[in-house]
Amino acid sequence: MQKLSLPIPAPEALAASQALQQLIIDDIRQHQGWIPFSRYMELALYAPDLGYYSGGATKLGKDGDFTTAPEMSALFGATLATLAGKLFTQSTAQVMEFGAGTGKLAKDFLTECQLSGIAIERYFIVELSGELRARQEDLLKDFPQVVWLQQMPAAFSGVVLGNEVLDAMPVDLVRKTADGWCEIGVALADDAAAPLQYCERACDAAICTQIPDADELPVGYLTEVHAVANGFMRSLAQMLNAGCAETGKGGAAILIDYGFPAHEYYHPQRSQGSLMCHYRHHAHPDPFYLPGLQDITAHVDFTAMARAALEENLCVLSYTSQAGFLLESGIADILSRTSPEEVKAYLPQANALQKLISPAEMGELFKVLVIGSGVDLPDNLLRHDRSHRL
C-alpha cells in the first residue's frame, strides 16, 4: 500500500493510537489470529477511551477530521425543528437523537423551538461516549428538556433524528473470487511498523444476501455489507412500533446520510466498495492508519435500511435527496428571516445553504430516509420522493 503523507499527530495522540493498536492485536490473538473487519472497525471507532468516537480528540469542524451539516449552519437544525413541529401533531412532542456529536444539532433544533414557539417535552440523546456527553452537557446546559440515555429504550413516540449515524456503523467486507464470495477480515502481519493486514477466508453465502444480482458481479468485486446497521434499523422500528402501541400516537425517524439504493451501491463499476477514512480533512483508503485517530466510514445501502424497517412492519414515508428534503421543509424561509442587506450575517448563511443543497456539494450525495408508524408527512415533502428507486 502506498505510504500516506498526512499530518503528524501530537505525541499523546500517537501514544493513544498505539495503545488502541495493541488492544486490537490482543483481540486478534484471542480469536485465533483473525477477526471480521466489522470487529476491527468497532474497536477502532468505539473501544472505550481509545476509539475514534469514544476518545477525547476533536472530530468535527475546522479543527477536526470532517465537517457535518449541523457544524456548517444553524439552518440545518432549525429546518429539522420546523418539520418536527408539524409532526408533533401526530406524535408526542419528544425527540430522540442518535450520533449527537458535539450537540450542535440539538442546540440549533432547540433554539428554533424557542424562537418559533414549538412546544417540546423532552430531547433525548442516546450517547455511549462519556467524553462526548460531557461536551454536549456543556453546550446544552441552558436547555432543561435534554435527557441523556445510554441505550435505545424499548418504546418511543416522537421524532428520531440520525444525521450521519448509519455510515459510522461497522461493516463487513466481502470479495468475489472464482470459487464464490469470501469475507475479508484482519490478521497480524510480520511487520512491526505495520502489524495489521487484510486476510480473506471463505464465508457463508448468507452474508451476501443484501447484494442484488450477486452472481452476476465480476470476480474481484469488493464491497461492504451492513449487518450492524440492519440490526439498528430493526431495533429502531421495534421501538417506534412499541411507542405507537403504548401511547396511541405515532413516531417517525429521519435518517440523513450519504449513500445509494442497492442497484447503485452494488453497481458493477463500483468494484472497490465505498470504505473511506478521514483524518484532518484528508480522505484516504487505509483503515489501519493511526487507529483511533481517524474516522472510518462506508456509504449507506438505503435499500437494505428500508427493507429492514419494512420487515419490522414500519412504513417507508419518504426517500429523497438532502436538497429536496431541506427545501421542502422550509430552509429557504428560515434564511429569509435575515435580510440580504445585513451582509455579514446573510452571506455566511447563504453560502452554507448553497453547500447543503447544491448537487455538486451535499445536496445530491446525501439522502434522507424517513420511516415511521402512525405518521403522515406533509404533502409537499413527497414532491421529490424517490422511494420507488429503492
Side-chain angles (χ1 to χ4, degrees):
M1 183 173 290
Q2 183 178 359
K3 185 174 177 60
L4 298 173
S5 179
L6 297 173
I8 298 172
E12 61 272 19
L14 182 59
S17 178
Q18 291 169 341
L20 176 57
Q21 182 173 268
Q22 187 59 52
L23 184 151
I24 292 168
I25 289 171
D26 293 342
D27 195 73
I28 293 171
R29 287 174 175 155
Q30 290 167 15
H31 291 87
Q32 291 75 53
W34 188 95
I35 57 173
F37 184 80
S38 56
R39 174 60 177 168
Y40 170 80
M41 189 170 169
E42 176 189 356
L43 291 171
L45 297 181
Y46 303 107
D49 302 321
L50 295 173
Y52 181 76
Y53 286 108
S54 52
T58 298
K59 282 77 178 176
L60 306 175
K62 62 182 179 63
D63 297 323
D65 303 308
F66 56 92
T67 299
T68 62
E71 303 293 325
M72 281 185 194
S73 173
L75 293 172
F76 186 81
T79 303
L80 290 175
T82 300
L83 174 58
K86 296 174 182 176
L87 297 179
F88 286 161
T89 61
Q90 306 169 70
S91 72
T92 66
Q94 299 186 120
V95 173
M96 180 177 296
E97 184 182 357
F98 293 89
T102 64
K104 180 68 163 50
L105 173 56
K107 181 180 179 181
D108 296 337
F109 186 105
L110 291 165
T111 299
E112 176 62 24
C113 288
Q114 287 183 340
L115 290 173
S116 299
I118 300 170
I120 178 168
E121 298 168 8
R122 289 284 184 273
Y123 192 109
F124 296 101
I125 294 177
V126 180
E127 184 56 72
L128 303 179
S129 166
E131 183 269 334
L132 284 177
R133 174 170 172 168
R135 292 190 191 188
Q136 295 159 9
E137 287 176 339
D138 182 60
L139 187 67
L140 301 170
K141 58 183 180 293
D142 296 328
F143 297 98
Q145 305 99 323
V146 181
V147 176
W148 279 267
L149 304 174
Q150 289 190 306
Q151 61 184 10
M152 185 187 298
F156 175 79
S157 167
V159 176
V160 175
L161 303 177
N163 182 62
E164 293 198 52
V165 171
L166 296 172
D167 71 85
M169 293 188 177
V171 296
D172 291 301
L173 296 183
V174 294
R175 189 175 72 86
K176 190 171 184 182
T177 72
D179 299 320
W181 288 91
C182 68
E183 183 176 2
I184 300 176
V186 182
L188 301 181
D190 295 325
D191 183 351
L196 302 173
Q197 64 180 354
Y198 287 124
C199 182
E200 298 182 359
R201 73 176 186 184
C203 69
D204 190 324
I207 197 173
C208 301
T209 53
Q210 80 178 57
I211 303 176
D213 303 320
D215 293 340
E216 306 301 319
L217 292 171
V219 170
Y221 191 90
L222 172 71
T223 192
E224 309 89 24
V225 290
H226 303 256
V228 174
N230 271 311
F232 171 80
M233 292 297 294
R234 291 181 182 280
S235 296
L236 187 61
Q238 291 164 6
M239 178 187 75
L240 289 173
N241 279 326
C244 188
E246 190 174 284
T247 66
K249 296 185 176 182
I254 302 169
L255 302 164
I256 305 168
D257 230 310
Y258 44 90
F260 311 98
H263 68 276
E264 294 179 26
Y265 195 105
Y266 300 107
H267 192 280
Q269 293 180 354
R270 202 181 304 281
S271 61
Q272 295 305 302
S274 68
L275 194 77
M276 187 57 61
C277 305
H278 300 273
Y279 176 70
R280 304 277 186 87
H281 291 277
H282 294 264
H284 69 88
D286 183 5
F288 303 136
Y289 180 77
L290 296 178
L293 302 188
Q294 66 171 356
D295 193 19
I296 307 173
T297 74
H299 282 54
V300 176
D301 173 2
F302 279 105
T303 299
M305 302 303 102
R307 183 181 296 120
L310 288 169
E311 288 176 353
E312 295 295 333
N313 298 314
L314 216 62
C315 296
V316 173
L317 302 177
S318 174
Y319 169 69
T320 188
S321 67
Q322 178 171 286
F325 176 82
L326 291 177
L327 288 169
E328 294 298 342
S329 296
I331 195 168
D333 294 335
I334 296 171
L335 173 63
S336 70
R337 298 175 192 167
T338 303
S339 169
E341 296 178 0
E342 300 175 38
V343 177
K344 288 186 177 179
Y346 183 82
L347 275 182
Q349 293 187 70
N351 289 337
L353 175 59
Q354 178 67 13
K355 289 182 179 180
L356 292 172
I357 66 172
S358 168
E361 299 272 356
M362 299 173 71
E364 184 59 37
L365 175 61
F366 278 72
K367 309 298 192 305
V368 184
L369 176 67
V370 187
I371 57 175
S373 175
V375 168
D376 293 315
L377 294 179
D379 290 342
N380 64 301
L381 272 175
L382 302 179
R383 289 175 189 161
H384 302 278
D385 184 50
R386 302 178 183 177
S387 297
H388 61 282
R389 293 178 61 180
L390 292 171

